[in-house]
Amino acid sequence: MVQVINCASFSEIGKYRKGNEDFIYPCCNQDRIFVLCDGMGGHGHGEIASEIVGTSVFDYLKKLQIDEYTPDVLQGALDFAVKQLNNADTYHDERRMGTTLVVVALNRYNVLVGHVGDSRCYWLDNRCNIKFRTRDHSMVAEAVENQILTEEEAFNSPKKNILTRSVQAGKDEKIEMTIDTLVDVAGGDYLLLCTDGVNDALRDNEIELVLNEGIFEERTSRLKKRCDEKSHDNYSAIFLQLRQDEQSPSTKKTIYYCPTCGVPLVKDGKNSCTTSVQTEHVEQQKVTIPSLDENSTAYKKSCDYFSSASHNNSEEYINIGGIKIKKKTYVLGSVWIIVGLFMLCLILSVALLCSRNVELINQRETIHLF
């Protein structure tokens, strides 16, 4: 089960805002659901919108009391929250109340991350190197994806806070949540949920540097301090350290390979080669294949790796007089033998031809003498 072993959070107004439109809920080690919202400044009552959407999503998921959350369930929570937001939007402002949303749901073997807008979720390894980041629903994020802007240009763009999708009241069309499934979550990995007040102040590499040293509480305090110094908005974050104490049933068992003949071993890698070679075997190579989302980069890298691993350990062998020889070695040796025999025949032919020429010359000299 993926569990939270450490959790910390903060939500601050910042130096340049009169009110805090961010909302986080909750931060407790026993919970499987974590929600973060950023009310949309300039769209009227952003702090109300963020609280309504955040609490509605959390309550919807919590009351289900199910063992496994799915993408459909997360989308259902958003649909419920939109209804609650529409019911509460009685202000009749020209600009309707709205918010961004990030929701994280912990399952037994994976973590679901749903988001709308430009609030983010980062997945980091035990050294706080970023393994995954949600893609903002913003104009500059689309420009980066289409190679119109670089990441650096997007970070400095004055239009970086213009959203292409948000949770806003009064929408006629269905609001779709982007949902990512994080698999192969390891013990010691981290999740960072944050509003744009954090990631507008700190680039990704700065977030990694701030979080990669010290005990858990010190890392969170350093992140908050840097935002105090650099952020021009409200800034909020939930920082989680995870533990995974179960192996996914879809993960294949460890495979041991014989160091002598390269074939898979039947039992535990000890004297159990499937071939007739009687040697003492030792553990040579372990390969575990995690269950991965086929659309993820991690899946493609893993496929490349395990395809290579399989190829390196699948060489064929032939039996000659009771001796097992790699087929590749046998073929190369045969080629060299054939080349050697050809060269020997060529040398002998040349030598024979030379000897006959010498004999003819001697005969001519003898005839001339007579």
Side-chain angles (χ1 to χ4, degrees), residues 187-201:
D189 283 358
Y190 297 92
L191 292 179
L192 174 67
L193 289 67
C194 62
T195 60
D196 64 348
V198 175
N199 50 259
D200 278 356

Side-chain angles (χ1 to χ4, degrees), residues 40 100 117-118 137-139 160-166:
M40 294 166 59
T100 66
D118 63 353
H137 297 136
S138 67
M139 289 182 62
K160 66 180 178 180
N161 297 120
I162 299 178
L163 303 183
T164 56
R165 196 186 311 179
S166 64

Side-chain angles (χ1 to χ4, degrees), residues 42-55:
H43 285 72
H45 309 287
E47 70 282 0
I48 298 174
S50 61
E51 183 174 356
I52 290 172
V53 171
T55 54

Side-chain angles (χ1 to χ4, degrees), residues 364-370:
R364 289 173 183 172
E365 289 179 352
T366 303
I367 293 171
H368 179 72
L369 291 174
F370 284 105

Side-chain angles (χ1 to χ4, degrees), residues 30-228:
Q30 303 305 315
D31 283 311
R32 296 171 57 198
I33 306 298
F34 298 89
V35 180
L36 176 143
C37 297
D38 180 3
M40 294 166 59
H43 285 72
H45 309 287
E47 70 282 0
I48 298 174
S50 61
E51 183 174 356
I52 290 172
V53 171
T55 54
S56 297
V57 168
F58 180 85
D59 291 341
Y60 179 94
L61 296 173
K62 193 70 174 177
K63 289 177 181 177
L64 290 177
Q65 295 184 343
I66 56 178
D67 294 331
E68 192 79 7
Y69 293 104
T70 66
D72 288 341
V73 170
L74 260 62
Q75 181 63 50
L78 174 59
D79 295 341
F80 172 75
V82 171
K83 291 179 182 178
Q84 301 302 109
L85 184 63
N86 287 331
N87 292 336
D89 186 25
T90 59
Y91 299 98
H92 305 292
D93 295 341
E94 290 184 7
R95 291 177 294 183
R96 310 298 290 269
M97 57 199 299
T99 182
T100 66
L101 168 69
V102 178
V103 55
V104 165
L106 306 185
N107 285 322
R108 190 171 184 180
Y109 302 118
N110 60 47
V111 175
L112 294 185
V113 177
H115 84 285
V116 182
D118 63 353
S119 293
R120 292 180 181 176
C121 178
Y122 292 85
W123 175 24
L124 308 101
D125 64 18
N126 58 3
R127 295 185 178 181
C128 285
N129 297 310
I130 296 172
K131 300 168 71 172
F132 163 85
R133 189 196 81 187
T134 51
R135 188 182 71 83
D136 299 344
H137 297 136
S138 67
M139 289 182 62
V140 296
E142 291 183 358
V144 170
E145 187 175 7
N146 293 319
Q147 299 183 342
I148 299 172
L149 294 177
T150 65
E151 287 281 359
E152 183 68 19
E153 289 170 338
F155 185 86
N156 294 306
S157 172
K159 298 182 179 180
K160 66 180 178 180
N161 297 120
I162 299 178
L163 303 183
T164 56
R165 196 186 311 179
S166 64
V167 185
Q168 191 171 353
K171 289 279 189 179
D172 294 328
E173 66 275 10
K174 181 182 178 70
I175 300 172
E176 295 287 344
M177 178 190 292
T178 297
I179 301 171
D180 296 283
T181 302
L182 310 184
V183 298
D184 198 25
V185 176
D189 283 358
Y190 297 92
L191 292 179
L192 174 67
L193 289 67
C194 62
T195 60
D196 64 348
V198 175
N199 50 259
D200 278 356
L202 303 175
R203 292 172 170 81
D204 287 359
N205 64 328
E206 292 178 284
I207 291 175
E208 291 177 327
L209 290 173
V210 168
L211 294 177
N212 72 352
E213 291 182 355
I215 62 175
F216 185 82
E217 292 77 9
E218 291 175 348
R219 300 181 188 206
T220 313
S221 296
R222 273 203 309 273
L223 181 64
K224 179 178 177 296
K225 183 178 179 182
R226 291 297 298 275
C227 291
D228 290 339

